[in-house]
Amino acid sequence: MITIVYFAWVRESIGHDEERVERPAPGVTVADLIAQLATRGGGYAQVLSDPAKLRAAIDQRFVPLDTVIGDAKEVALFPPVTGG
Amino acid sequence: MKRIAIQAEDFDVAAELTALEALGGGGVASFTGIVRGEGSLIALELEHYPAMTAAQVDRIVDEALARWPLLGVSIIHRFGRLEPGARIVFVGTASRHRTAALESCAFLIDWLKSDAPFWKKEHFADGATAWVAARAEDEAKAKGWTA
């Protein structure tokens, strides 16, 4: 299993801030995971169908969406950051 | 000195500056970010990624320490609900050289805007809310430091 965490409007649309899912097969990327989650429909489809608007982190480090998830423990999906 | 605080509470700018001044470098630069009271905005709500935030800010500070001869860096970033006029963020740098203090301070606030896992939501007087969109120019500014 791996943990997926969501922030900001991704979290609001999906309706919860984290969940556990089966560990993706070797070679599966963050973009693949996003596409797979979007097929759940509802709030998932609404915010995950346009990956260009999303950013990601694997085990608390920013990564490009084409990064392989591998043996990571936590994947985070969120909009571009707006701190400072 | 490296001080990083991610907190809901307000902070004392004078105390932060005094701590940086005490390092004996001769030069201290700082930036304080404050919630703008624009239009009918009644509050900003800052969400962050607790498991990642401090470590990510620490990486940004290490990058600044590697690039400039600094004696101290202080960064405080608040989260939670903040009203217009409230302080959001503080960046302070101390160095023997004013250029290093000023440049590293600008570098740090630019990088915090594009590389720290915070998200701002606006709350308006009529009950409407809106997530603040990232600005391409903020991203460009941060990337400009790597050019």
Side-chain angles (χ1 to χ4, degrees), chain A residues 5-9 11-12 57 60-62 74 76 78-84, chain B residues 47-49 51-52 56 59 77 89 113-116 118-121 131-132 134:
Chain A
V5 294
Y6 306 107
F7 293 98
W9 48 255
R11 171 182 57 73
E12 284 185 342
Q60 296 94 43
R61 279 182 182 261
F62 290 117
E74 184 171 282
F78 42 77
V81 302
T82 55
Chain B
E47 176 174 332
H48 75 123
Y49 183 177
M52 177 174 178
Q56 181 67 14
R59 281 180 209 124
H77 205 308
V89 62
K113 283 203 168 281
S114 70
D115 252 47
F118 285 89
W119 298 272
K120 291 192 186 102
K121 187 180 188 177
W131 287 96
V132 174

